[in-house]
Amino acid sequence: MNVDSVCSSEVVTVKQDQTLREAASVMRLRHVGSVVVLSAQGNSKRPLGIVTDRDLVVEVMATGLDPDTIKVSDLLDGAPVTVHQQDDVMDALHKMRSRGVRRLPVTDPHGDLAGIVSLDDLLQSLSREMSLLARVVEYQPRQEARSRH
């Protein structure tokens, strides 16, 4: 199963030159716990990273920094962790686990933002698959017993 089948195509974004207060306002308005940061260059759809509500609390509020003077890009640390639409969901899960993140921007073949996948998305999808497997395990012995009578 690929990431495209479980990700959300509705992604809340901000530009890298917006302030953290602006990002927090967007999160509040859209009822989300994170925003994907895009380049401020033109109409770029390349994800630069993610800023979460936890980032705002731990890195800004708890340290007494001013969210009106800090740019979203100041919270980003290096190359973004992303996953491609056609990647397997287990690869996405491995990336999340190894990098300690709960969300990954999903990119198309050109590297542009195509969606977002969360740990919750993956868990729901995998639990559906496990449920189907459990039904097969339950059904198969009964089917065999019927065919022998």
Side-chain angles (χ1 to χ4, degrees), residues 4 24 35 41 52-53 59 86 92 138 140 143:
D4 197 41
V35 289
Q41 305 298 321
T52 67
D53 49 6
E59 302 296 331
Q86 298 308 313
E138 291 172 359
Q140 193 222 0
Q143 191 65 16

Side-chain angles (χ1 to χ4, degrees), residues 18-144:
Q18 288 183 262
T19 67
L20 292 177
R21 182 170 309 279
E22 291 171 323
S25 294
V26 168
M27 287 184 211
R28 183 173 189 267
L29 180 68
R30 299 290 302 274
H31 306 287
V32 295
S34 67
V35 289
V36 174
V37 180
L38 301 177
S39 171
Q41 305 298 321
N43 291 328
S44 175
K45 294 285 189 180
R46 300 232 174 209
L48 301 177
I50 293 180
V51 171
T52 67
D53 49 6
R54 186 175 194 283
D55 293 332
L56 296 175
V57 170
V58 172
E59 302 296 331
V60 181
M61 303 306 292
T63 58
L65 297 175
D66 183 0
D68 289 316
T69 61
I70 301 171
K71 302 291 184 200
V72 172
S73 59
D74 294 332
L75 286 187
L76 303 179
D77 59 353
V81 181
T82 62
V83 65
H84 301 286
Q85 288 174 308
Q86 298 308 313
D87 286 351
D88 187 78
V89 295
M90 296 308 288
D91 293 332
L93 189 57
H94 175 73
K95 272 189 183 182
M96 287 179 180
R97 187 180 60 208
S98 67
R99 298 298 291 266
V101 297
R102 297 179 57 90
R103 302 167 187 89
L104 292 172
V106 178
T107 57
D108 67 14
H110 306 290
D112 291 335
L113 184 66
I116 190 164
V117 64
S118 70
L119 183 58
D120 291 351
D121 296 331
L122 295 177
L123 289 173
Q124 287 176 351
S125 175
L126 292 172
S127 69
R128 281 192 298 271
E129 293 296 316
M130 294 301 288
S131 176
L132 292 172
L133 287 172
R135 288 185 194 149
V136 169
V137 168
E138 291 172 359
Y139 178 75
Q140 193 222 0
R142 283 184 275 178
Q143 191 65 16
E144 280 183 26

